[in-house]
Amino acid sequence: MDRITTLLTRFHRSVRSAPNDQANFFVLGADAHTPSQILFYPQNKGQHRPTGAELWSACVDWAGDNNPMRTALPAMVEFDLTQDPETRALVGVILQEVHATRCGMDLVLDRIADVLLVRLLRDQIDRGSTEPGLIAGLSDARLSRAIVAMHDHPGKLWTNADLAIEAGLSLSRFNELFARHVGETPMSYLRRWRLILARQDLMRGDRVDRVAHRYAYSSAEAFSRAFKRAYGTAPIALRKTAMAAE
């Protein structure tokens, strides 16, 4: 079961070299040729205090604040490169590109740094989290099956009972564990996920009625009410603004 591909493919990211005060992604090293650690600040830029060990700094742009993985990560993500030679080798390629400034460097950096982000996310999920949220939910082998089902099939008419079956749990145990680990009910999470996707679709110019149907709303009116409660604006207004900006 793939726990992160849908999350990553639905939300665009870009990575570019940046000075310390505009960066949120740092490679540190014991010396100029030996990368030893990655520090990543998903929520904010300019949080890192220089230590003199920085080999590379970059800005990871999450393309908006609605990416659930971005908000689920801790304020600082640490990754020990000394324990992962494959990831360390990827960082080595980045450092070679930065120092050589070859043609196409920005494209190479963006692609390899995106691979690094995937590895960091895997590591966070494997470690789990003591705080309720998406990372904690995906870290649980049972709950992750239900969460991935919602991610991959948001338009299905899910019930709590259906999701409990996906998780292989009784209904009461599923609801209890989901609330404890994710911090909200399964239906609340599903509604929020659907609205995040719906907002993306509207920003692309999709019609309100089609988006409502796509995400299992009974009518465009019901969808519009839910969307306005969540985002403070009507979906038709957001769609018009997005189309006018093209």
Side-chain angles (χ1 to χ4, degrees):
M1 180 186 62
D2 191 329
R3 291 174 287 181
I4 62 174
T5 291
T6 297
L7 284 165
L8 293 176
T9 54
R10 287 293 309 218
F11 298 92
H12 174 72
R13 298 158 311 286
S14 65
V15 184
R16 66 183 189 281
S17 295
N20 272 358
D21 61 347
Q22 299 174 30
N24 58 358
F25 190 97
F26 299 85
V27 174
L28 279 60
D31 57 56
H33 307 288
T34 313
S36 58
Q37 186 183 28
I38 292 173
L39 296 180
F40 178 36
Y41 301 82
Q43 317 299 338
N44 295 295
K45 304 167 189 173
Q47 298 297 302
H48 179 68
R49 298 294 174 264
T51 63
E54 292 80 12
L55 304 183
W56 183 55
S57 58
C59 175
V60 178
D61 184 356
W62 294 87
D65 296 330
N66 289 303
N67 187 327
M69 188 61 82
R70 171 187 176 273
T71 55
L73 289 169
M76 182 177 73
V77 175
E78 300 181 69
F79 191 93
D80 185 358
L81 292 169
T82 65
Q83 303 301 313
D84 191 328
E86 290 183 356
T87 304
R88 191 173 185 171
L90 287 173
V91 171
V93 175
I94 286 178
L95 296 179
Q96 289 173 12
E97 289 288 328
V98 170
H99 294 315
T101 60
R102 298 167 178 164
C103 295
M105 179 188 72
D106 289 342
L107 182 62
V108 172
L109 293 181
D110 189 56
R111 296 294 187 272
I112 299 179
D114 207 31
V115 175
L116 289 181
L117 284 176
V118 171
R119 287 176 173 258
L120 263 63
L121 292 174
R122 287 177 184 165
D123 181 64
Q124 287 293 302
I125 292 171
D126 289 343
R127 288 190 198 185
S129 174
T130 57
E131 297 295 326
L134 180 57
I135 296 294
L138 291 173
S139 299
D140 185 287
R142 300 156 299 179
L143 296 180
S144 63
R145 291 194 290 268
I147 294 171
V148 169
M150 287 188 271
H151 287 171
D152 290 349
H153 307 286
K156 183 172 178 177
L157 292 172
W158 292 107
T159 65
N160 284 332
D162 294 330
L163 293 168
I165 291 171
E166 292 285 338
L169 294 165
S170 70
L171 178 58
S172 60
R173 183 62 172 159
F174 171 68
N175 286 333
E176 175 195 349
L177 287 177
F178 200 98
R180 181 194 308 168
H181 288 281
V182 183
E184 58 187 314
T185 67
M187 289 299 106
S188 174
Y189 182 84
L190 177 60
R191 285 192 295 270
R192 190 159 57 84
W193 174 242
R194 284 171 171 167
L195 288 171
I196 288 171
L197 300 183
R199 188 176 188 277
Q200 286 186 331
D201 295 351
L202 292 166
M203 293 291 289
R204 282 201 310 262
D206 290 6
R207 286 172 44 183
V208 173
D209 57 343
R210 290 182 179 175
V211 174
H213 177 74
R214 185 176 300 148
Y215 298 115
Y217 283 87
S218 58
S219 66
E221 291 74 19
F223 166 65
S224 295
R225 288 193 296 271
F227 190 91
K228 190 168 185 178
R229 281 197 300 270
Y231 293 111
T233 187
I236 186 64
L238 178 68
R239 179 176 181 267
K240 287 180 179 177
T241 300
M243 294 182 69
E246 291 181 352

